[in-house]
Every structure is written in C-alpha cells, then in structure tokens.
Amino acid sequence: MNLANKHGSSAKDAAGLQTESCLPETSYQQSVSLLQLAKTSCGRSPDSLALFLEELAAIVREGSVHSKVEEWIADNVINDFQDDFVVDMVAAESEGMDPLPWNLAFGLDSEAESSIVLNLLPLVVPSRQLTTSRLTVERLNATSRSVSVWWMASNFRLLQICESRLHNGDLEGIDALLGCPVKFPRVDVINDKLESLSSKERHILCDCLFLAINWFREVINAFANQRDKDMKAKVIQRLHLILELQQLLERCLKGLTDYIPPPSVFEASSAGPISIVGPKKNAARGKGKKMKATKGKKKANNDEDDDSSDNEEIREETQIGKENEEPEDAQVDSASIFCSKALIPFFRELDFDVLNLLKIEFYASPDLSSEKKKKRIALEPPLLLFLLNDLALKLNHRLISHETRVVFFKSKADKGVGFRLLNELSTVTVVEKVVDLLPALCQQIEAVGSFFQAIYTADDGLIDGPHSGGALFSVVASCMGLLLQSLLSLFSWSGFLQTTNSCLHNRALSVLAGRLSTGSSTQLPFADLVRAAYSYLENLKGCVPNLSVAVKLSKLLNCLSMKAGSKELCVKTGETVLLYLKRAWLGIDGKPEKGALHNENLQSLLRLYFQCSDEILVALENLASTAVPELMRADKNNASVTFPTLTRNSYHVFYRMMLQELVCHVKSIIPGKQSDPQQENVDKLLTWNVSVRIFHILVSLSKSFDARPNLTAILKFGRQFVEAFLRCCMPMLDHMFRSHREDIQSLLKNLQLSTRALQHICGHSKIMKDIQLTNQVPQVKKILEVFVYRVKAMLTMNHCLEAFWLGNLKNRNLKGDEIMSQVSRTDASSSSEDSLPEDENDDEDSRSNGPTAKKTIVSSPGEDSGDESESYSEAF
C-alpha cells in the first residue's frame, strides 16, 4: 500500500524546481534532529502535536524550508499518515471491538479502484480517552507513541502541502484520499435508532460526524483547484456530502447537554474546550432578557443621541408582544445553523482559494436525479449557498471594521478563531482575490436573476405567484442576498479611499461596467465607471425575491451613488427604495412578513429613503398625513394602501424613523443671524413652520397608537426637537418677531399644541407607572420649562412682556381627560384652576388677547418631586 506512487521521483522533481543553494550536511542533520525532537515532545499531547503540524505546514507553504528538508518532511509525514489513519480494504473489513455498527461509507471510486480506507471509527474512542487522561500519558516513556484522530486533518494538511510543492501543484500521487471510503457508523443508526443510543454512544457518533466533516473540508482545501475534471467532480460530491453530514449532525446534537466537540482549530492562544449545546443556550436566553431590561434603563437616562442606540432599541421593541421568529437562514435550510459564526471554531477553515469553485456554472433544476448530479459538474443552490456564506463571513471579518468595547473583568472572545489562514493574508491581498472572483460572482448573479425571471414569467409577471415559494426558491433567494452582501462588503471597503488602491478600485468597477458592453471599460473615467456599474446593478431591481435582498441591493446602489457624488444616481436610488416600500412582501408561508428581522430591514429602507429624498420634509409629510391615516382607516390585519409595508405591526418602526429623521433634519438647519439676507431667513422660517406642522402631526398620532415603543419614541425625539428649536430657531425669531409677527405667532401656537400633548404623555406615563417612560419624563419637562422661559425672554426683548402670564395646568391623559388625582384639590387651588381657560378653549382665549398674546402651558419639574396632583405652569 502506497499513497504516493509518484513520491519516489520527488527528489528529481524538487531538484528541477529548486534554485536555492545546497544545504550543508551538518545543517541538514541539525534541522532534521530539531524536527524529530519537536515532534516527539509534542506527541504526548494531541493538541500540541496538531499545533506543531499546523505551524510546520504554514512554514512549508511559505517556501521557507530548504528543498532537502522539505523532502524529509514529505517522506515522514506520508509514512506517519499511512501508519496512523489508513488501512487497506482487507484490514478495514475485519471485525473488531468497534463501539457502533459500521460500514465503509462515502466512497467515490469503484471497488476495483478502491484499495485504502480511512480508519476513522476505531480511533475515536482511544482519542477521547487520550485527551481526558493526559496526565497519565505524559508519565509514559517519551519513546511511546499514541495515535489520536484529533490531529488527522492537520497531518493531512501538511501532507498535501508538501506533495503540492514537490510536484508543482499536482496531487495525483495522493488522489486516492479524495475518493476513498471511511469506516463510519451506519447511517441507519442515526435515522432509526438514534433515540435508543446511550449518551456515550451518541457522543461517539457526534465525534465521528464532526471529524468526518472536518476531514472532507480539508480534502476540499487540497483538491479544489486541481484541473482534472474527475477530481473536480469528486470535490463537488464531497461538498454535497458535507451538507448531508451537517444535517445528520444537527439531529444528533438535539438533546445533548454535556457534549464537547473534538478540537479542530489549534492555536497557541486558543482557550480551552467549549460546548455548543445544553445549559449554555438556556443561560444565554435568560441573560438576554435581563440585559434588555438593564439596557432599557440605561438608554432612558442617556442624553447622547447616537444612531447605534436607536438601532438597538428598534431591535428590542420589535420583540415586545411578538412571538419568537426564526432567523432568516433557519427558514431556508435545515443545516443552516452550521453557517453561523457560533460553530466556526468547530470546523476546519476553508482556504480562500476554495472559493474559486464559484467559477463553476450555477444549475438550479429540481428534476435532476442523483446519478445525473454526480456526473454533472455544476453548483446547485445548496452548494452555492455554502460557498457564498463562507465568502461573506471572510469578507465581514477582514473588510468590515468592527467597533470593540472594552469590558473590565470579562474575557474577550478571540474574533480571529476560525480565520487563522485568512489572517495570514493582507487586507489588500484579500481584496485582490475578491476582485479576481468578481467575474464569477457576476456570472452567478446573472444566473440567479435569470432563475427568478423565469419564475415570474411562469406566473405571468406576478411577483408573489404560486411558483414563488418552496425550499428551492428560498435557498436561491439566500444566494442572491449573499452575492449582493459580498459586493457591498467589497465596495464599502474604506481602503478604496486611499490613492494607492485607486487602480484596484477602478479594476473592480470595470468588471461590473464590462458586463453591460462588449468593449473595454478600463479606459473610462472614474465617474463613468461608477455610472456603468450602477446601471448593471440597477437591472436587478426586478429580480428581488424578499425584503432582505431588497435592502442589500438598495445599500449597494447607495454605496455606488455616493462614490459618484451624483445627485441623479441618488434620486434613482431613492426611487428604487420607494418601490420596495410600496410593495407587499410575503413570507414563505404566503403571509405578510413580520418579526424583528423584517422590522430591521424596514428601518434600513426607510433610512435610505429619507437619505436619498430631494425634499425630506415632503417625504415625511406624505407618510404622516397620507399613509398613516390610511392605516387608521384600514382593518386590523390590513395595511396602508400607498405603503403596504406600513402595518400595525411595523408602525412603530415607521414612527420612530420619521421622528428621528425629522430631528436630524432640523438639527442640520443653520441658525439664522440678523446679518443674513432677509430672504434666507424667511426661507428658514418657512422650513421651521413645515417642520413644526409635521411634528404636531406625529405627536397627535400618539393618541391613536399609544403602545409603549411609540410613546418612548415621542418622548425621546420630542425632547430633542424642542432642544433643536431652542438652539437653532429661537435666535432667528428674536430679530424677526417685529417684521413677521403673525407668522411667528402661528409657529409658536402650533408648537404649543405639541408641547401640551407632550405634557399629556408625561401624565399618562405616571398613570401607567412604566419605568421606561417615566425615566424620560423629568428631561422632557425640564426642556419644556426652558422653552417657556425662552419665549418669555423673546417677548421681553420685543417689548411684549404683558402678553406673558402665569397659570396652573391640569394634568390630563392621552385622551385629554383630567387625571382623577386632580379632583381632590384645595378650594383655593380649585378656584385658581377655574380662572384658567380649558384646553378646548385655548384658541379662543388666544384670539381674544390680541396678536401678541399667546397662551402656552408647560409644567415645571417641581411636579416630579412632589405630589402628582400639583402642577405649576407658566403661560404667555
């Protein structure tokens, strides 16, 4: 038995390839002695030996080892691998003391070609015992050697790297390992007898599944870039097998509470063993609930207006009163949990060059038999999804910057675990590899787009027709989302802003631009390149299967429009986003989408819509005065006619985003100065009038939609709006009051109606005794009091102080009804209240007092420290 039948000629091949100087015999012997000593010393610990093999493989791959030493390593590693992990057919078929029923599974070669077997199952139990009794093993003689299947994948990695270097990338000498069978527990044990297995037997079964998956992942690392068609077909079959084994592993992991997977990532800085199931999952859920409550309290007391906190609150509030929704990936594929970052440390990392498999054509026919699938070299949707998910994780790790928070007394997880091979590459090298993959990614995008176009054609142009559903549709939709996410990660890379990477940036854009024309696009100016790339991606807006894909395409279009700095492209992006907001999105079950993920996607679309709008106030007023009233008139389960995405489940997302964008817009208005041109100040006054009118509409909506997320939003952003008004508008009103008295009076009157409604919300918060709401009340009342005194100062400056007067304000709830605690007041207080006009007669009183007399009622913060029934106020 010989794995490398060509290895005898390795010396000749190496002599022809190497141009380095001859290595003295003394240095050669010293190098060999050091390697033998290191190997022997590490052999007593499986993890240490695996780490030694991994590091040695990295050094050999870099070409830092002399060819003569490289030959010695290759000879020894092949011999060790054959002795430790490979047996012939006769020995494999002999009965032994195996813990589970077994067979020779996963073979790809015919019986005549199969001569070796990977001896996996018999080594699992000894390897687990070797790990748990490490102290006893370390007391053994240094010459004794125990075999652990833990280092099998690391050993093979060193083997294939040596073989590739000695034979100029050709792995024909070890191709038997690509299609050889594995001694593995019978699959019917998992399908039929899983529940009857003992805990120990299930642990062994899970060990076998993890080790088999990692073995085939390492095999794919070795043979993915071989040009031989038979090898390429076998690599595709191994990818299929990995997905099947992951589904079996998911079934086996259910119900296990104390299982620790075998190690697969060996690094000097890695932590101890960790578990992926059982108590950890339950503990995470419990902590999640407590963290939400704590986070809510902190947010209520925080004055900083950062977008990240708003995003976190959106995520939290979408889960209030809702059922737990499945993640998007979980709705797509039963093995999707193995695509998550949580399981990265338990699987072998795929080399970046494995992603060259994306150059294989996409094929999504569900009618193919299993035999035809084996003969056809094509990427089916599950395989494409598997590779694209790995690409997206790699790009997210290297190209997207992640903010880190330093938390004392807590161990920080190593984010580099599972990306050791990727971290060996520079960021520019990763980008260059992705740019080289761009033609293949565009080819896959076009193939996936054609798939959806064919479905829409079959449904007579109906987007949500009968063919738009099922498992195949969902997997292909996820593929489209990952393709767009990969392009977004690439073109959002901050390194493109550097002049040293401008050529690389232009090359990436020219790939997209070249998909539209047959001529060369490399000579186009940068602005034309961006426009052509934008046009190419814009053609995909009709091939969007779900809201998540729509968000990614919109972000990608927005990214390119920002690169061009073109107002035209920005407007086009806004039109595309508006198209998606006016579309009714249905889930896999044919019902309207909802849940936390759906609300997050809506939030992203709304932010892009407002960002790309020519007139943001017009867009806000259209939503507030047209779409929301349509929702109020609709049935409970219906949506707005103009914006089908606006439902009662998603209203709080629209409401918060409208308030947030309104506040951001008024904060951006430059305060008017007396020295500014008069027309400029008049335009700003008109802008503030429209803003206050929209703000009043939004505040009034709290009476109809009084859920806690909506009240929290109006208290928070209402306070910020009044603060912006005081800071940016009041200085301009000071010097414009005499010349535009009526306009300013109308402006303050509208704002007074909003501040009174904020007072009612504060009173309602105390009635409900909601901590999340009441924590914001003092800040709101404080800014309302400042508003009263600031208006008093403006009137004093313009000699209208007689229009300012004091009075008491009754505490009322959202509906305008007086709070019952106010009834038991002293006679003096009651008579004082009776002397004041009621809320319903405020407008009449204002008219009777003349053009300069306005009445605004705002409670002072003294109410918070005293009895709820006391409410001192100032009016003008």
Side-chain angles (χ1 to χ4, degrees):
M1 178 184 63
N2 190 359
L3 290 178
N5 51 25
K6 293 173 57 181
H7 195 264
S9 61
S10 62
K12 295 180 181 179
D13 296 337
L17 294 173
Q18 301 289 342
T19 58
E20 56 195 22
S21 59
C22 295
L23 180 68
E25 184 64 23
T26 305
S27 300
Y28 170 74
Q29 292 297 337
Q30 290 177 349
S31 301
V32 170
S33 299
L34 286 174
L35 289 173
Q36 288 177 331
L37 177 61
K39 179 182 175 183
T40 303
S41 301
C42 295
R44 292 173 293 178
S45 169
D47 292 354
S48 299
L49 182 57
L51 176 61
F52 168 73
L53 296 173
E54 294 280 359
E55 296 298 327
L56 185 58
I59 295 174
V60 174
R61 189 179 188 182
E62 293 175 357
S64 304
V65 180
H66 194 276
S67 60
K68 195 173 181 181
V69 178
E70 209 171 281
E71 291 177 40
W72 181 89
I73 295 173
D75 291 335
N76 279 268
V77 74
I78 287 181
N79 293 332
D80 289 345
F81 191 85
Q82 289 184 142
D83 296 340
D84 295 343
F85 307 114
V86 176
V87 295
D88 56 26
M89 279 290 184
V90 178
E93 292 176 353
S94 61
E95 295 291 337
M97 299 297 292
D98 296 311
L100 290 171
W102 58 270
N103 62 352
L104 301 183
F106 317 134
L108 301 181
D109 300 324
S110 62
E111 294 183 2
E113 296 176 345
S114 299
S115 59
I116 60 174
V117 175
L118 192 71
N119 196 30
L120 179 63
L121 178 59
L123 294 176
V124 170
V125 176
S127 299
R128 181 66 73 174
Q129 293 174 348
L130 183 64
T131 303
T132 56
S133 59
R134 185 172 300 169
L135 292 176
T136 304
V137 174
E138 289 179 352
R139 295 192 186 99
L140 297 178
N141 192 294
T143 58
S144 64
R145 185 171 182 274
S146 300
V147 178
S148 173
V149 74
W150 275 206
W151 68 64
M152 179 179 66
S154 302
N155 198 338
F156 175 71
R157 179 170 183 81
L158 177 59
L159 185 154
Q160 61 96 355
I161 288 176
C162 292
E163 187 74 12
S164 177
R165 285 188 55 81
L166 292 175
H167 297 93
N168 197 22
D170 186 10
L171 297 180
E172 186 179 351
I174 58 172
D175 62 348
L177 292 172
L178 175 59
C180 73
V182 180
K183 193 169 185 179
F184 195 80
R186 298 179 65 90
V187 178
D188 57 2
V189 174
I190 304 175
N191 294 330
D192 303 329
K193 304 177 182 179
L194 183 61
E195 300 300 329
S196 62
L197 296 179
S198 65
S199 177
K200 180 179 179 181
E201 290 173 333
R202 291 187 67 176
H203 284 198
I204 295 173
L205 187 57
C206 290
D207 282 347
C208 290
L209 287 168
F210 269 108
L211 292 168
I213 291 172
N214 286 324
W215 163 252
F216 291 125
R217 288 174 73 98
E218 201 57 59
V219 166
I220 290 173
N221 279 341
F223 293 95
N225 291 295
Q226 295 295 300
R227 297 182 179 179
D228 184 77
K229 290 186 177 180
D230 292 337
M231 290 188 184
K232 190 74 70 176
K234 290 180 179 179
V235 168
I236 296 298
Q237 292 180 61
R238 288 311 189 199
L239 280 174
H240 278 290
L241 181 58
I242 287 177
L243 297 181
E244 294 173 6
L245 291 176
Q246 287 179 172
Q247 293 181 18
L248 295 176
L249 180 58
E250 181 183 9
R251 292 183 56 193
C252 293
L253 286 175
K254 290 181 179 178
L256 290 180
T257 58
D258 57 348
Y259 176 68
I260 299 176
S264 63
V265 178
F266 303 96
E267 298 181 4
S269 60
S270 62
I274 55 179
S275 177
I276 58 174
V277 292
K280 181 180 178 181
K281 185 176 180 181
N282 297 333
R285 287 183 180 177
K287 290 181 180 179
K289 293 180 180 178
K290 293 181 181 178
M291 286 298 292
K292 287 179 184 178
T294 305
K295 195 179 293 182
K297 293 179 182 179
K298 291 182 179 179
K299 289 175 184 174
N301 293 322
N302 191 2
D303 291 334
E304 297 179 0
D305 305 325
D306 52 342
D307 293 338
S308 60
S309 64
D310 297 338
N311 297 343
E312 290 177 0
E313 289 178 6
I314 281 284
R315 297 190 191 100
E316 292 173 10
E317 290 160 3
T318 53
Q319 298 173 358
I320 297 175
K322 303 290 188 298
E323 296 179 356
N324 292 331
E325 300 289 338
E326 286 186 349
E328 180 187 13
D329 292 339
Q331 300 175 0
V332 170
D333 185 17
S334 59
S336 60
I337 62 169
F338 297 95
C339 298
S340 65
K341 295 181 180 180
L343 288 180
I344 287 179
F346 304 108
F347 293 120
R348 298 285 296 181
E349 180 185 0
L350 293 177
D351 287 335
F352 205 98
D353 293 337
V354 171
L355 298 174
N356 288 326
L357 294 174
L358 290 169
K359 298 177 181 179
I360 300 175
E361 66 172 333
F362 172 76
Y363 193 77
S365 174
D367 302 327
L368 232 73
S369 63
S370 58
E371 291 299 325
K372 290 182 179 180
K373 287 180 181 179
K374 292 181 180 179
K375 296 180 181 179
R376 187 182 183 93
I377 302 178
L379 286 181
E380 297 178 38
L383 300 186
L384 181 60
L385 181 63
F386 177 82
L387 294 174
L388 290 175
N389 184 77
D390 188 73
L391 173 62
L393 289 175
K394 284 178 166 58
L395 296 184
N396 181 69
H397 176 72
R398 287 308 303 268
L399 301 188
I400 300 178
S401 59
H402 301 278
E403 296 182 0
T404 57
R405 274 178 37 183
V406 179
V407 181
F408 294 101
F409 306 111
K410 289 187 179 180
S411 59
K412 184 177 68 174
D414 188 0
K415 294 184 179 180
V417 173
F419 298 102
R420 186 179 64 86
L421 301 178
L422 183 65
N423 291 335
E424 293 176 358
L425 304 174
S426 66
T427 305
V428 175
T429 303
V430 172
V431 174
E432 289 175 347
K433 288 180 175 291
V434 179
V435 173
D436 292 337
L437 275 177
L438 267 183
L441 295 178
C442 292
Q443 179 183 351
Q444 301 295 351
I445 288 176
E446 293 161 10
V448 172
S450 300
F451 172 84
F452 291 119
Q453 286 291 351
I455 289 180
Y456 299 151
T457 303
D459 291 334
D460 297 329
L462 187 62
I463 296 179
D464 297 314
H467 295 87
S468 300
L472 179 62
F473 185 90
S474 300
V475 174
V476 179
S478 296
C479 292
M480 176 63 89
L482 289 173
L483 284 165
L484 296 176
Q485 179 62 44
S486 300
L487 294 184
L488 179 61
S489 299
L490 173 64
F491 288 105
S492 300
W493 179 48
S494 59
F496 281 144
L497 299 176
Q498 302 175 6
T499 55
T500 54
N501 298 321
S502 59
C503 293
L504 188 59
H505 193 189
N506 290 345
R507 186 155 68 93
L509 291 171
S510 63
V511 172
L512 299 185
R515 308 297 293 189
L516 291 177
S517 60
T518 56
S520 175
S521 58
T522 56
Q523 304 300 325
L524 293 175
F526 179 78
D528 294 340
L529 276 177
V530 176
R531 287 178 179 273
Y534 186 96
S535 299
Y536 170 72
L537 294 172
E538 190 181 20
N539 293 332
L540 301 174
K541 65 181 182 181
C543 307
V544 175
N546 55 45
L547 184 60
S548 179
V549 177
V551 170
K552 293 170 183 176
L553 178 59
S554 301
K555 288 182 177 180
L556 184 55
L557 293 175
N558 183 59
C559 176
L560 292 180
S561 66
M562 293 176 64
K563 289 179 181 293
S566 170
K567 188 67 176 178
E568 178 188 355
L569 295 184
C570 186
V571 172
K572 282 187 175 182
T573 304
E575 293 173 353
T576 302
V577 175
L578 183 61
L579 177 69
Y580 295 145
L581 287 173
K582 292 185 175 183
R583 173 177 165 182
W585 299 96
L586 301 181
I588 301 176
D589 54 358
K591 298 180 180 179
E593 291 186 13
K594 62 179 181 178
L597 179 62
H598 177 71
N599 290 338
E600 278 193 57
N601 289 330
L602 278 180
Q603 178 188 353
S604 300
L605 277 185
L606 286 168
R607 182 178 287 110
L608 285 175
Y609 172 58
F610 293 130
Q611 180 180 341
C612 299
S613 296
D614 270 343
E615 296 289 341
I616 185 172
L617 294 180
V618 174
L620 286 170
E621 192 165 16
N622 183 35
L623 278 173
S625 60
T626 303
V628 177
E630 290 176 351
L631 176 64
M632 296 171 65
R633 292 191 296 268
D635 295 336
K636 183 177 181 181
N637 296 325
N638 290 340
S640 168
V641 177
T642 308
F643 288 86
T645 51
L646 176 57
T647 64
R648 296 188 182 273
N649 289 326
S650 63
Y651 170 80
H652 69 282
V653 181
F654 277 79
Y655 190 63
R656 171 177 284 271
M657 288 306 302
M658 287 189 287
L659 284 168
Q660 181 177 336
E661 292 300 325
L662 177 62
V663 170
C664 290
H665 179 72
V666 296
K667 284 182 177 180
S668 65
I669 301 176
I670 302 175
K673 300 179 181 178
Q674 193 168 1
S675 58
D676 293 339
Q678 183 178 3
Q679 186 59 42
E680 182 179 337
N681 286 333
V682 170
D683 293 340
K684 290 179 181 179
L685 182 60
L686 292 175
T687 301
W688 274 107
N689 265 302
V690 176
S691 301
V692 170
R693 183 172 71 245
I694 297 173
F695 180 64
H696 177 60
I697 296 174
L698 294 176
V699 174
S700 301
L701 290 174
S702 61
K703 296 181 179 180
S704 301
F705 301 92
D706 56 356
R708 186 177 68 177
N710 302 327
L711 298 183
T712 303
I714 190 58
L715 286 177
K716 175 179 180 179
F717 292 107
R719 171 179 57 84
Q720 296 178 17
F721 184 90
V722 177
E723 287 176 350
F725 184 87
L726 293 175
R727 183 172 60 254
C728 302
C729 185
M730 287 303 297
M732 181 181 67
L733 300 185
D734 290 340
H735 61 80
M736 292 184 65
F737 184 79
R738 294 186 179 180
S739 58
H740 297 79
R741 179 176 299 178
E742 292 184 359
D743 294 334
I744 294 176
Q745 176 185 354
S746 175
L747 174 65
L748 294 175
K749 179 179 179 180
N750 288 336
L751 186 57
Q752 174 195 0
L753 297 176
S754 302
T755 56
R756 182 181 299 119
L758 288 177
Q759 284 279 6
H760 295 167
I761 296 174
C762 291
H764 174 79
S765 302
K766 289 197 170 185
I767 296 175
M768 300 304 295
K769 298 182 179 179
D770 190 312
I771 297 178
Q772 192 171 6
L773 295 176
T774 55
N775 282 343
Q776 299 196 46
V777 169
Q779 299 176 27
V780 173
K781 291 202 169 186
K782 179 179 179 181
I783 196 64
L784 294 182
E785 183 180 12
V786 173
F787 169 66
V788 170
Y789 284 109
R790 184 62 181 84
V791 173
K792 179 179 179 181
M794 182 195 70
L795 295 175
T796 303
M797 183 184 302
N798 289 276
H799 309 291
C800 297
L801 185 58
E802 64 277 4
F804 194 90
W805 55 280
L806 297 177
N808 290 335
L809 173 66
K810 294 180 180 180
N811 282 343
R812 299 181 183 274
N813 57 19
L814 282 178
K815 305 301 181 182
D817 300 330
E818 185 179 352
I819 298 176
M820 297 305 296
S821 60
Q822 295 291 302
V823 176
S824 56
R825 304 285 301 272
T826 61
D827 294 338
S829 178
S830 299
S831 60
S832 177
E833 286 181 1
D834 294 338
S835 64
L836 292 176
E838 297 292 339
D839 292 344
E840 292 78 3
N841 301 325
D842 287 342
D843 296 339
E844 183 179 346
D845 293 332
S846 298
R847 290 191 297 268
S848 63
N849 287 333
T852 60
K854 258 187 65 61
K855 173 179 172 294
T856 298
I857 302 178
V858 182
S859 299
S860 68
E863 180 186 357
D864 299 302
S865 58
D867 190 353
E868 287 187 0
S869 62
E870 293 187 43
S871 178
Y872 302 100
S873 62
E874 297 192 63
F876 61 88

